[in-house]
């Protein structure tokens, strides 16, 4: 065998790019990359050329033009004189509000339903199975329309309140109508005035100083209460006797908060029938409620399945060990099983939250003016800038999803098992 | 094999995209079908009947153009479009023309790059309310919840009207007429607003039309008409003059009943002769044959006949001619002369 001479080193030849296995894979990848890039380039070039031929080259100047239309649910000040950019921003806030409300309720519902589906009670477990199968196997748009349809058909119209066919609830503080639910709103009669961020630009944002002060005091109180609890823990560890601190904790949280509220003239504004609608109070629109309920119930079904999978992935020995130590079933779930299951549940939960956020774009079906309804709906229609509005809309949804992902991945990393 | 088929399709698509602007008339003739954008369903204007055949005032314009170009009023593919999708459908070439009670405005004509070929219905935005509400004027609507069809000029007019009268309202944007109707009837909105013709059409489909009233205020000018893309003037001329032929036919007394007879031989009125192609050859200037206008009139009748049959006072919709009477009867329907 030693008769074989070493291959003569002839240096690099071009044919090696194809015939030499050391280089071939790289050649293929580079060729493929050029292919894909040129395809994308062709797509962009073709789009631009065709838009230019239509006389509509891509430009974003229309965002500064006057929008001319009104938005029903305004979280910030807006009127029809404002720009399209401002309208899009208001729409984005509506999207965010809906996504936030939906994610919170979907998660709470999903965890409860997922745990109940594993219940030893036959009826409860089967009911939850029926719930999950019903909700995740029917398109969410239908759920939205059904919830909305039920709301507008079953609940009384505002004019029924005048004729006495319907009446307000909870000591006349709350009105449930087919246009939505009116609840009392928190108001401040004194205190400090609001301050404005970003001046006069389209992204201007009024912040209530009173609300900030209230939140600061509340969180300060909670922080103080935790300090007290920690001190009690230390004393208990040292002496074995736990001092009674519950009333001190409550006092630390509530006393300053109530004092601050009183000082700023806090009171509730109640809804009252006036003209065609109720006026005053906080108005939760029928479209918001329908979307909130439908999206939460729908996404909760998926989250419940992730929760069930996470719990079942925890070895049975864990719960048996907990039971052997005499820990009650409820505490076993809360202290032993769920904390471990959480690590398995969070990654699929992220995608459910992303799904919910993207599903909010169905809002226009019931007349909720989210980002899709304003920027990619009326603005698109009034200005005829399909390409631009859709590109901006896509970029915003992408950014939103990436933000949620990033935040959740950060959280996921912080709770994941530290291996030694 | 599969790959090459895919690439072939891709190349074909590229070329198709490249040549789409070659000429709408040739495209229509090659496809032997006119793709006409209409509403998704608005009784009297564009709606499929029990047999699934499209009927209505706007549909008749599509059929007249198809008859003029292809010789057959049934060679139309009706593409239902919403207020939101219609312009994209026309701009992208998915449809050849749009006849969907669309308001002629400056920005649509100039900025959206469309060409309105004329007006086939003079309309204005109105309000419909349940009579039980006891409202007699739109100015009493302070604080009302208003259902609007989104993607129209309506929401801009509405914003302007309420702002100029310094009263507030709560807009509820709705995608289609059917959804707006459901919300309005359930009392989720106090008022439904759209073009007065649309209100009349919607009200006609209610169980008790008499319980609802259209308020006297007309808050805008809404000249509705068919439109085509910018840049193909020949096609624009064909659609424009087909509409004008229908209007002129009413003025000159040419109807679907007598067009066959008068079309055979030259009559005494030279304009009728020019219109029907028995004198001169106006059709050739459009790139069509001599009988184009005669066929367009024969398929659904002249403008007046189309109006009476679909939305006139004898129909459930019951719209009076009003502004839409021929200019000879004091209305605004007026065509440039055929010469």
């Amino acid at each position: 065998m030693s008769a074989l001479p070493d291959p003569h080193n002839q240096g690099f030849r071009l044919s090696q790019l194809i015939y030499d296995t050391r280089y071939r894979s790289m050649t293929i990848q580079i060729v493929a990359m050029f292919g894909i890039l040129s395809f994308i380039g062709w797509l962009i070039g073709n789009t631009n050329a065709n838009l230019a031929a239509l006389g509509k080259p891509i430009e974003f100047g229309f965002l500064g033009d006057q929008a001319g239309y009104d938005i029903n649910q305004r979280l910030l000040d807006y009127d029809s004189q404002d720009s399209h950019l401002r309208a899009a921003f208001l729409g984005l806030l509506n999207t965010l509000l809906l996504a936030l409300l939906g994610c919170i309720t979907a998660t709470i519902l999903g965890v409860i339903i997922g745990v109940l589906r594993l219940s030893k009670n036959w009826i409860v477990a089967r009911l939850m199975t029926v719930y999950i199968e019903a909700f995740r196997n029917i398109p969410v748009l239908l759920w939205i329309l059904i919830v909305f349809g039920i709301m507008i058909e079953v609940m009384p119209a505002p004019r029924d309140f005048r004729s006495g066919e319907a009446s307000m609830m909870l000591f006349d503080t709350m009105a449930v109508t087919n246009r939505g639910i009116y609840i009392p709103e928190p108001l401040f009669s004194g205190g400090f005035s609001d301050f404005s961020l970003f001046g006069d630009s389209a992204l201007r944002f009024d912040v209530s100083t009173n609300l900030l002060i209230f939140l600061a005091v509340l969180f300060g109180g909670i922080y103080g209460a935790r300090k007290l609890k920690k001190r009690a823990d230390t004393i208990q560890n040292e002496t074995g006797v736990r001092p009674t601190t519950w009333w001190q904790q409550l006092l630390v949280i509530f006393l300053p908060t109530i004092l601050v509220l009183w000082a700023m003239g806090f009171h509730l504004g109640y809804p009252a029938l006036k003209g065609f609608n109720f006026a005053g109070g906080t108005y939760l629109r029928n479209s918001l409620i329908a979307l909130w309920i439908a999206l939460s119930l729908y996404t909760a079904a998926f989250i419940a399945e992730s929760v069930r999978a996470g719990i079942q992935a925890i070895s049975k020995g864990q719960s048996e060990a907990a039971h052997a130590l005499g820990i009650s079933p409820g505490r076993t779930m809360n202290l032993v099983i769920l904390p471990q299951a959480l690590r398995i549940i969070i990654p699929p939960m992220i995608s459910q939250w992303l799904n919910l956020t993207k599903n909010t774009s169905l809002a226009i079906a019931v007349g909720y003016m989210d980002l899709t309804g304003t920027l990619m709906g009326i603005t698109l229609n009034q200005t005829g800038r399909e390409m631009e509005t859709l590109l901006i809309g896509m970029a915003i949804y992408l950014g939103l999803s990436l933000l949620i992902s990033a935040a959740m991945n950060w959280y996921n990393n912080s709770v994941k098992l530290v291996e030694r | 094999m599969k790959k090459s088929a895919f690439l072939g399709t891709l190349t074909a698509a590229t070329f198709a995209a490249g040549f789409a602007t070659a000429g709408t008339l040739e495209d229509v003739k090659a496809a032997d079908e006119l793709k006409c954008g209409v509403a998704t369903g608005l009784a009297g204007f564009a709606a499929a009947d029990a047999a699934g055949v499209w009927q209505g005032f706007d549909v008749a314009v599509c059929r007249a153009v198809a008859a003029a170009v292809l010789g057959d009023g049934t060679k139309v593919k009706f593409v239902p479009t919403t207020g939101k999708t219609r312009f994209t459908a026309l701009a992208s070439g998915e449809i050849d023309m749009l006849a969907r009670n669309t308001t002629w405005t400056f920005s649509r004509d100039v900025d959206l790059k469309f060409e309105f070929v004329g007006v086939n219905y003079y309309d204005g935005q109105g309000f419909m309310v349940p009579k039980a509400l006891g409202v007699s004027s739109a100015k009493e609507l302070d604080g009302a919840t208003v259902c609007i069809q989104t993607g129209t000029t309506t929401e801009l007019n509405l914003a302007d009207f309420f702002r100029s009268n310094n009263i507030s309202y709560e807009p509820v944007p709705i995608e289609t007429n059917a959804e707006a109707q459901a919300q309005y009837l359930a009392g989720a909105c106090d008022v439904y607003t759209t073009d007065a013709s649309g209100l009349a059409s919607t009200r006609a489909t209610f169980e008790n039309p008499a319980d609802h009233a259209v308020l006297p205020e007309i808050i805008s000018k809404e000249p509705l008409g068919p439109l085509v893309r910018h840049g193909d003037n020949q096609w624009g001329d064909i659609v424009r003059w087909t509409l004008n032929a229908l209007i002129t036919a009413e003025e000159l007394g040419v109807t679907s009943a007598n067009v066959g007879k008068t079309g055979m031989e030259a009559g005494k009125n030279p304009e009728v002769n020019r219109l029907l192609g028995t004198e001169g050859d106006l059709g050739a200037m459009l790139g069509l044959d001599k009988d184009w206008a005669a066929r367009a009139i024969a398929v659904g009748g002249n403008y007046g006949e189309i109006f009476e049959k679909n939305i006139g006072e004898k129909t459930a919709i019951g719209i009076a001619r009003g502004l839409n009477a021929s200019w000879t009867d004091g209305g605004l329907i007026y065509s440039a002369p055929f010469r």
Side-chain angles (χ1 to χ4, degrees):
Chain A
M1 283 296 140
S2 59
L4 273 177
D6 284 342
H8 186 64
N9 192 357
Q10 294 176 311
F12 181 77
R13 278 162 298 126
L14 218 52
S15 59
Q16 277 180 307
L17 283 179
I18 297 173
Y19 296 114
D20 192 324
T21 45
R22 284 175 298 173
Y23 300 114
R24 186 157 53 199
S25 63
M26 204 175 284
T27 316
I28 294 174
Q29 288 182 44
I30 289 175
V31 169
M33 188 185 77
F34 272 106
I36 292 172
L37 284 183
S38 50
F39 179 69
I40 294 174
W42 171 81
L43 267 184
I44 295 175
N46 192 335
T47 310
N48 272 334
N50 276 318
L51 283 176
L54 279 173
K56 297 203 302 192
I58 291 192
E59 55 105 9
F60 295 93
F62 70 93
L63 284 174
D65 296 347
Q66 184 184 318
Y69 59 91
D70 285 303
I71 294 177
N72 49 17
Q73 178 174 295
R74 298 177 296 269
L75 297 182
L76 299 177
D77 69 299
Y78 169 86
D79 66 37
S80 57
Q81 310 277 64
D82 278 308
S83 66
H84 282 295
L85 185 60
R86 178 80 179 164
F89 181 53
L90 273 268
L92 174 62
L93 289 182
N94 285 347
T95 295
L96 289 176
L97 174 72
L98 181 57
L100 183 70
L101 290 174
C103 283
I104 292 172
T105 27
T107 309
I108 295 172
L109 275 178
V111 171
I112 294 174
I113 292 163
V115 172
L116 286 185
R117 197 179 172 191
L118 293 171
S119 165
K120 290 203 179 66
N121 184 322
W122 189 86
I123 293 186
V124 171
R126 285 302 160 280
L127 273 179
M128 292 306 132
T129 310
V130 169
Y131 169 86
I132 289 172
E133 294 304 335
F135 272 92
R136 67 174 186 169
N137 290 316
I138 294 177
V140 64
L141 179 61
L142 295 186
W143 284 117
I144 295 173
L145 292 177
I146 285 173
V147 174
F148 187 70
I150 292 175
M151 275 197 77
I152 62 169
E153 296 294 343
V154 171
M155 293 180 183
R159 66 183 93 125
D160 295 338
F161 286 79
R162 185 168 287 121
S163 63
E165 282 172 54
S167 54
M168 292 172 72
M169 294 157 71
L170 294 178
F171 310 107
D172 276 1
T173 59
M174 184 173 147
V176 180
T177 75
N178 65 352
R179 289 179 195 171
I181 298 175
Y182 297 81
I183 55 173
E185 63 177 335
L187 293 170
F188 296 103
S189 58
F192 306 89
S193 58
D194 298 352
F195 66 91
S196 192
L197 291 180
F198 307 122
D200 262 347
S201 71
L203 302 182
R204 66 184 179 274
F205 203 112
D206 284 348
V207 182
S208 161
T209 317
N210 288 339
L211 186 67
L212 285 184
I213 292 174
F214 166 72
L215 288 177
V217 172
L218 182 66
F219 282 115
I222 292 173
Y223 179 74
R226 295 186 82 167
K227 275 265 161 173
L228 275 174
K229 185 170 171 287
K230 256 202 185 136
R231 205 179 122 252
D233 286 346
T234 332
I235 293 174
Q236 187 180 20
N237 285 341
E238 282 169 2
T239 65
V241 184
R242 189 178 182 84
T244 320
T245 57
W246 63 267
W247 60 269
Q248 292 169 337
Q249 288 191 38
L250 286 182
L251 212 63
V252 167
I253 296 178
F254 286 104
L255 190 66
T257 319
I258 292 170
L259 275 177
V260 160
L261 285 179
W262 175 77
M264 293 190 299
F266 175 82
H267 62 278
L268 287 175
Y270 296 104
L273 198 54
K274 189 178 158 226
F276 294 94
N277 286 317
F278 280 87
T282 300
Y283 174 29
L284 303 172
R285 260 166 201 76
N286 51 7
S287 47
L288 173 67
I289 296 172
L291 285 162
W292 182 10
I293 293 177
L295 287 175
S296 308
L297 292 180
Y298 178 78
T299 313
F302 291 90
I303 292 181
E305 282 298 86
S306 312
V307 170
R308 181 176 69 103
I311 291 173
Q312 284 183 331
I314 302 303
S315 132
K316 213 168 179 195
Q318 296 281 330
S319 53
E320 284 170 353
H323 289 156
L325 287 172
I327 302 176
S328 73
R331 288 178 76 87
T332 306
M333 182 55 82
N334 283 334
L335 297 175
V336 179
I337 309 290
L338 274 183
Q340 297 184 68
L342 209 58
R343 302 191 174 112
I344 306 168
I345 295 170
I346 286 175
M349 184 101 92
I350 301 175
S351 34
Q352 293 313 329
W353 285 9
L354 295 181
N355 271 345
L356 192 146
T357 307
K358 287 178 289 176
N359 281 340
T360 57
S361 59
L362 294 168
I364 193 62
V366 289
Y368 181 78
M369 298 184 84
D370 68 335
L371 184 66
T372 316
T374 55
L375 176 69
M376 289 181 278
I378 304 180
T379 294
L380 183 159
N381 210 274
Q382 302 300 352
T383 60
R385 301 270 165 202
E386 301 95 353
M387 211 59 185
E388 292 88 338
T389 50
L390 291 179
L391 281 177
I392 299 173
M394 280 161 70
I396 291 177
Y397 277 111
L398 179 68
L400 206 56
S401 295
L402 288 179
L403 267 181
I404 295 174
S405 256
M408 287 305 293
N409 281 328
W410 171 80
Y411 177 69
N412 194 24
N413 277 335
S414 71
V415 297
K416 87 174 172 201
L417 208 57
V418 184
E419 293 186 12
R420 277 178 274 251
Chain B
M1 282 307 283
K2 271 184 184 166
K3 247 182 206 165
S4 61
F6 170 71
L7 287 177
T9 327
L10 206 66
T11 328
T14 325
F15 282 121
F19 292 131
T21 49
T24 315
L25 178 62
E26 281 74 38
D27 292 346
V28 172
K29 278 185 172 164
D32 198 27
E33 186 179 61
L34 172 73
K35 294 190 288 292
C36 192
V38 290
T40 48
L42 184 62
F45 286 87
D49 65 11
V53 182
W54 283 88
Q55 303 286 358
F57 187 71
D58 285 331
V59 166
V61 177
C62 302
R63 291 201 191 282
V65 173
V69 174
L70 301 171
D72 186 348
T74 60
K75 284 185 179 167
V76 189
K77 182 183 171 199
F78 291 100
V79 180
T81 54
T82 66
K84 209 163 140 181
T85 60
R86 55 185 165 179
F87 297 126
T88 317
L90 182 60
S92 67
E94 189 188 336
I95 52 180
D96 302 315
M97 61 176 281
L98 181 69
R100 187 204 178 277
N101 33 29
T102 300
T103 307
W104 186 352
T105 66
F106 180 90
S107 64
R108 285 174 178 178
D109 198 335
V110 177
D111 192 35
L112 298 194
K113 314 286 180 204
F114 295 127
E115 185 155 337
F116 284 81
V117 301
V119 176
N120 70 337
Y121 192 97
Y122 287 94
D123 209 343
Q125 182 175 347
F127 297 96
M128 176 162 65
V129 292
K131 280 185 182 159
L133 223 50
V135 173
S136 58
S137 157
K139 289 179 183 155
E140 296 167 21
L141 291 176
D142 191 11
T145 304
V146 183
C147 275
I148 333 156
Q149 220 177 318
T150 182
T152 60
T153 43
T154 331
E155 50 219 351
L156 305 188
N157 296 332
L158 193 66
D160 285 351
F161 175 77
F162 279 86
R163 188 159 60 87
S164 60
N165 284 297
N166 208 9
I167 49 182
S168 67
Y169 72 110
E170 158 92 17
V172 181
I174 314 282
E175 228 18 9
T176 68
N177 196 42
E179 286 169 30
Q181 205 171 313
Q183 289 218 32
Y184 172 74
L185 287 177
C189 9
D190 299 302
V191 190
Y192 180 33
T193 180
T194 185
D195 295 344
S197 62
L199 291 178
S201 155
T202 306
R203 190 171 67 153
T205 60
F206 286 174
E207 210 174 329
N208 298 314
D211 292 349
H212 302 271
V214 175
L215 297 178
E217 280 91 350
I218 294 292
I219 63 167
S220 67
K221 286 189 293 185
E222 307 282 340
L224 311 181
L227 57 155
V228 296
R229 279 181 296 278
H230 248 199
D232 187 350
N233 292 2
Q234 185 194 17
W235 179 248
D237 287 343
I238 290 174
V239 180
R240 172 178 301 113
W241 285 97
T242 306
L243 179 63
N244 281 344
L246 300 179
I247 293 170
T248 308
E250 185 190 14
E251 186 187 324
L252 300 175
V254 180
T255 66
S256 57
N258 65 22
V259 67
K261 281 174 244 159
T262 46
M264 291 299 158
E265 59 204 51
K268 278 184 189 156
N269 186 333
E271 188 158 14
V272 175
N273 292 344
R274 283 196 295 272
L275 175 66
L276 300 180
T278 49
E279 199 178 305
D281 196 355
L282 294 180
M285 299 180 197
L286 279 177
L288 300 174
D289 57 9
K290 281 185 172 191
D291 301 332
W292 66 280
R295 285 196 306 268
I297 297 162
V299 70
N302 62 34
Y303 180 86
E305 285 178 274
I306 293 172
F307 194 102
E308 291 307 327
K309 183 176 156 229
N310 293 301
I311 53 178
E313 285 183 295
K314 292 195 187 92
T315 64
I317 294 153
I319 300 176
R321 284 297 287 270
L323 286 179
N324 295 297
S326 175
W327 68 282
T328 49
D329 299 329
L332 292 176
I333 296 294
Y334 183 101
S335 154
F338 275 77
R339 62 167 66 251

